[in-house]
Amino acid sequence: MRILYIHQYFASRKGRTGTRSYEFGRYLTGKGHEVTMITSGVANEEFPVSPTELYREHETEGIRVISVAAAYNDPHVGTGTTGWRRMLKFYQFARAATRVGRSLEKPDVVFATHTPLTVGLAGMALGRHFDIPFVFEVRDLWPEALVNVAALKNPLAVWWLRRMARRIYRAADHIVALSPGMKEGIVRTPIPPDKVTVIPNASDLDLFRPDLDGSAARERLGLGTRFAAVYFGAMGLANGLEYVVEAARILAERGRNDIVVVLHGSGGKRAELEALARRHRLTNVVFSDLVPDKGQVARIVAGCDVCLTIYRAAQEHTWSPNKMFDALAAGKPVLINVPGWLGETIEKNGCGRSLDPQRPEALAEALEELSDDPEQCRRMGENARALAEREFDRRLLAKRLEEVLIGAVGRYSKAAGCRPE
């Protein structure tokens, strides 16, 4: 099977963002399929492209990577720009991906993964151009997710994105959703339930491991013997990390100098968060700069005691964040402040605590609880790794995607055979 895979933010383990597409692409090539990945080569150290080129070809682990000179590859770049400017960049990538895709040899299926939502426009166009099935992966519900975190308030923009989402969903031959809540949102548009398959994010069981030595990272960050909680990921408006800084302030006020919070990553809100920590004179918040690859991130996680999954959600959220699944693989308890399926999964499996998103005190209390009870912390970590191996092994989930793509090709071919000449 020849698969044309479109992902604006594609990165391997050498990159700084999620590797779902890389891991799935690597699995598919290992099964004998041909995978061509179209991504942005702008702000892309791993798969760069010159501004004077339309695109440049690369190769990684058997995946043919086509880097186009449009938009940007690093999602952290977008957190520091305005919504309208980001949307223009998203359209730019969709147009470039369509143009370049049409010049390639005919594939058997086109698979486009969102975010951003506009990547679905490229998938639609290329599916029609080649007369092949188009499969769309929904990593977040737009515009609902943007409205939920107050990142989008313009009624016209909300209407426009809802209209675009319905159009893409209807054009897709099949849809992959990353959570049950996402599937429910898609079905409400309305889309038949049997047209949507849930394939959540996967845990990287090889890179993030309980036996990984994180002592060097711990020493570099100056954590000493303190109980350490780590957040690793983007630091934008949607991430709501003021919640964490306020919890750290509460801990400092209570004299819990034996607990420290590590914020690792970058984004449009990082400078404000650093200023907030300075204003409160907090010595229990450590800001960690980006590192060269995910292997180094894994060592930072290994050097800490618990992981934080934090989001600025106004109501129940349907997301499926990479960082939580990597935390499970690392064998770390997870403290999450987003209501919904993720918090329920963590609580049900004894992997950590689901926190009130309106009460930073809840995070402070949970950190005190686990710091004071090492045995409970150890037990939750073991439960986390067991859950990752049982339900979120990337090989099992990649196999499910392979079945979805093969099924889409088969149904499309069968339908084509029934069409009149």
Side-chain angles (χ1 to χ4, degrees):
M1 186 168 53
R2 294 181 300 277
I3 303 162
L4 182 56
Y5 203 141
I6 311 173
H7 184 194
Q8 180 174 328
Y9 303 135
F10 176 72
S12 77
R13 292 181 181 182
K14 296 177 183 177
R16 296 170 176 170
T17 186
T19 57
R20 176 183 175 94
S21 294
Y22 164 75
E23 301 294 355
F24 281 4
R26 196 163 64 122
Y27 174 90
L28 291 167
T29 59
K31 290 295 182 178
H33 305 293
E34 296 178 18
V35 177
T36 298
M37 181 73 63
I38 299 181
T39 189
S40 171
V42 180
N44 188 341
E45 296 176 2
E46 188 176 6
F47 307 111
V49 63
S50 166
T52 60
E53 299 173 299
L54 177 60
Y55 67 90
R56 183 185 296 180
E57 291 199 29
H58 303 266
E59 189 274 339
T60 180
E61 297 277 353
I63 303 169
R64 178 189 181 194
V65 181
I66 309 290
S67 293
V68 300
Y72 51 85
N73 176 268
D74 185 351
H76 295 100
V77 172
T79 62
T81 60
T82 64
W84 286 111
R85 188 174 182 83
R86 291 173 68 189
M87 188 57 67
L88 288 173
K89 292 290 185 180
F90 295 157
Y91 271 108
Q92 183 187 59
F93 175 75
R95 287 195 301 269
T98 301
R99 180 182 175 188
V100 171
R102 284 174 174 160
S103 70
L104 304 176
E105 60 274 18
K106 181 179 179 178
D108 297 306
V109 60
V110 57
F111 179 54
T113 183
H114 152 326
T115 60
L117 177 64
T118 45
V119 76
L121 301 177
M124 287 170 53
L126 292 171
R128 287 195 304 264
H129 174 77
F130 288 115
D131 191 18
I132 57 173
F134 157 49
V135 178
F136 187 52
E137 181 172 71
V138 178
R139 299 193 183 203
D140 217 343
L141 291 175
W142 279 21
E144 286 72 22
L146 303 177
V147 173
N148 192 19
V149 298
L152 182 65
K153 300 177 182 179
N154 186 306
L156 180 60
V158 171
W159 172 83
W160 181 256
L161 285 174
R162 282 190 177 138
R163 180 175 177 270
M164 185 191 302
R166 287 195 300 269
R167 180 184 169 202
I168 294 170
Y169 296 162
R170 289 168 184 166
D173 294 274
H174 201 80
I175 299 171
V176 172
L178 266 67
S179 75
M182 287 185 205
K183 177 172 180 176
E184 291 172 8
I186 294 165
V187 168
R188 283 197 297 267
T189 56
I191 292 293
D194 60 359
K195 186 178 173 177
V196 187
T197 298
V198 175
I199 305 179
N201 260 324
S203 294
D204 194 327
L205 300 174
D206 301 328
L207 198 60
F208 290 82
R209 307 189 314 273
D211 62 345
L212 195 64
D213 183 5
S215 57
R218 188 177 181 88
E219 183 178 354
R220 177 175 60 81
L221 293 171
L223 304 184
T225 60
R226 292 179 290 178
F227 183 86
V230 61
Y231 168 91
F232 54 105
M235 297 185 186
L237 172 67
N239 306 102
L241 294 176
E242 297 84 0
Y243 180 93
V244 178
V245 175
E246 176 59 17
R249 188 196 66 77
I250 293 168
L251 288 168
E253 192 175 68
R254 294 177 180 178
R256 292 305 303 259
N257 300 318
D258 58 324
I259 301 174
V260 62
V261 173
V262 177
L263 297 179
H264 173 78
S266 68
K269 285 289 183 177
R270 173 159 171 163
E272 292 181 30
L273 293 167
E274 290 179 304
L276 182 61
R278 285 194 300 271
R279 192 177 313 135
H280 292 308
R281 298 180 180 178
L282 299 179
T283 59
N284 60 349
V285 180
V286 174
F287 286 88
S288 170
D289 293 332
L290 290 174
V291 290
D293 54 49
K294 281 196 74 174
Q296 294 299 314
V297 175
R299 293 192 179 277
I300 292 172
V301 173
C304 296
D305 300 285
V306 301
C307 291
L308 308 179
T309 299
I310 306 298
Y311 206 66
R312 185 189 174 202
Q315 57 191 7
E316 182 171 316
H317 202 63
T318 61
W319 70 330
S320 183
N322 287 301
K323 52 184 154 286
M324 193 202 81
F325 297 93
D326 289 337
L328 295 176
K332 303 294 181 181
V334 174
L335 302 180
I336 180 171
N337 76 333
V338 184
W341 81 286
L342 290 181
E344 293 167 5
T345 298
I346 293 301
E347 290 278 0
K348 178 182 175 182
N349 290 278
C351 302
R353 291 282 182 265
S354 179
L355 310 173
D356 185 340
Q358 306 304 322
R359 293 185 63 251
E361 296 88 348
L363 173 56
E365 290 160 6
L367 289 172
E368 288 180 304
E369 175 192 358
L370 293 181
S371 175
D372 294 340
D373 191 346
E375 177 57 27
Q376 180 180 209
C377 191
R378 181 195 63 76
R379 192 166 57 248
M380 284 182 170
E382 290 180 350
N383 292 341
R385 178 68 185 193
L387 175 62
E389 293 176 352
R390 186 172 63 248
E391 296 187 23
F392 302 118
D393 185 331
R394 67 164 182 263
R395 290 162 294 195
L396 299 176
L397 300 178
K399 184 176 185 296
R400 197 179 304 171
L401 174 62
E402 180 187 26
E403 292 167 352
V404 165
L405 297 177
I406 290 173
V409 171
R411 288 189 300 273
Y412 197 88
S413 298
K414 185 177 180 181
C418 295
R419 290 199 290 262
E421 294 295 331

